[in-house]
Amino acid sequence: MKPRDLAIYVFLATAWGLSFLVVLKVVAAFGWVAAVSIRAFVASATLFLIAKTIRRRLDFSAGWRPFFVVGATTVAGQLLGLSYATPLIGTAMAAIIVASIPLFSMVISHVWGLERIRPSGLFGLALGVVGIMLLVGFPAVPVTSEFILGCAAALAACFFAAFGSNYASHRLKQAGSWEVTTGSFLFGGLIAMPFLLVVPVPGVPGTIDILYLLIAGCVMSATTYLLYFTLVGSIGATRAISVEFVVTVVAVLVGAVILKEPLSPVQFIGAAVIILGCTMVLGLFPWQRTKVADVPLPHQDGIP
């Protein structure tokens, strides 16, 4: 890996790992719906303004429907689920569940006929399911209705992320990463906005809260996705997606050290099993012959 690629890799792992902490701050100030809707608008506007500044032409000739579907799943579905779940189950647990996105992605890709699951991939899927059962079934905190709802929301978010990524790779093959990211964030913000009638902003956000929101939209959404696609083009999607595992490690450390979130020994085992399963699914072991198609996956990283 070239020094530039390594620097991008480390930056993405750090930024996305810390994003779980930023989400907690933003959700507390804006509510879990506004935290997604406004952030999505900020991210879309940031990319649009940057494109105008550098005179990059954005081509949305694919039509609005594909961008709508990707926005509904990878932005609205994924980020609403994670924004709702993270305060309930903690950043560490949410991050570990997010690491299971490749498992959902491979199943959907196989059902749609986009990719055939090899034996090592099936074994990886089985390990991932076992890991999720260990993670959710043996928590260090009491199993309350809120905990169960949080886990369900996080898993639903992972499914939406995987669904949207596969849909984008199939229907938006000709669209560039700038267009896919800008369009999906715009529609994701529009789709999430009506839910403000049910979950309004709890109060008047302070200056620091607005700063956190801008960081989430400008840095942890817009900027990181552009860098991610740069990394995909340089080292390939399979190796680039592996940054998810480092993101999980960073987020778990943030949760354990800064937020003092408890995780049971069985949950640590579950996390290791999930990461092992995803590694096999992605074909990252040298002895595996299964190769994941190197296609841009707009929001498969599952970052809140």
Side-chain angles (χ1 to χ4, degrees):
M1 189 181 295
K2 298 178 181 178
R4 187 196 67 163
D5 297 331
L6 180 60
I8 292 175
Y9 194 96
V10 172
F11 175 78
L12 289 176
T14 304
W16 279 339
L18 292 174
S19 70
F20 287 88
L21 177 60
V22 174
V23 163
L24 287 178
K25 302 288 187 180
V26 175
V27 170
F30 292 88
W32 58 276
V33 173
V36 172
S37 183
I38 301 176
R39 170 186 175 180
F41 288 138
V42 169
S44 182
T46 299
L47 291 174
F48 181 80
L49 292 175
I50 293 175
K52 288 297 182 182
T53 301
I54 65 176
R55 297 182 180 180
R56 179 187 180 92
R57 182 176 175 272
L58 297 178
D59 181 11
F60 296 102
S61 59
W64 65 271
R65 288 183 179 84
F67 296 104
F68 176 88
V69 174
V70 176
T73 52
T74 60
V75 177
Q78 178 188 186
L79 296 185
L80 283 174
L82 290 177
S83 293
Y84 175 79
T86 302
L88 298 180
I89 64 177
T91 60
M93 180 119 174
I96 295 171
I97 292 179
V98 161
S100 67
I101 288 178
L103 305 178
F104 290 97
S105 183
M106 176 163 274
V107 172
I108 293 171
S109 181
H110 178 76
V111 171
W112 287 2
L114 302 177
E115 182 182 344
R116 185 166 63 90
I117 301 179
R118 300 294 180 86
S120 60
L122 287 173
F123 185 66
L125 287 173
L127 285 177
V129 172
V130 171
I132 291 174
M133 292 173 62
L134 293 174
L135 185 67
V136 177
F138 300 90
V141 297
V143 179
T144 63
S145 58
E146 287 188 345
F147 176 82
I148 294 174
L149 283 174
C151 291
L155 289 170
C158 293
F159 173 81
F160 281 124
F163 182 96
S165 295
N166 279 279
Y167 179 89
S169 68
H170 179 59
R171 295 298 181 90
L172 289 172
K173 288 182 179 179
Q174 306 305 319
S177 59
W178 282 74
E179 287 81 3
V180 174
T181 308
T182 303
S184 61
F185 269 119
L186 175 61
F187 278 111
L190 291 172
I191 293 168
M193 189 166 57
F195 292 98
L196 285 170
L197 297 175
V198 181
V199 186
V201 178
V204 180
T207 304
I208 188 65
D209 301 319
I210 296 174
L211 178 61
Y212 277 126
L213 182 62
L214 291 175
I215 291 174
C218 297
V219 179
M220 295 177 171
S221 294
T223 303
T224 50
Y225 281 126
L226 291 180
L227 289 175
Y228 172 73
F229 284 120
T230 300
L231 194 65
V232 169
S234 180
I235 68 175
T238 298
R239 295 176 68 191
I241 292 172
S242 68
V243 75
E244 284 187 21
F245 306 141
V246 189
V247 169
T248 298
V249 173
V250 173
V252 169
L253 289 175
V254 168
V257 177
I258 299 178
L259 301 177
K260 308 299 181 182
E261 295 175 349
L263 283 175
S264 69
V266 177
Q267 285 182 306
F268 277 108
I269 295 174
V273 172
I274 289 174
I275 292 176
L276 176 61
C278 288
T279 303
M280 296 190 67
V281 165
L282 292 174
L284 298 179
F285 288 111
W287 50 266
Q288 287 182 283
R289 294 183 179 181
T290 301
K291 182 179 180 181
V292 179
D294 283 346
V295 295
L297 302 179
H299 300 281
Q300 183 166 329
D301 37 70
I303 306 306

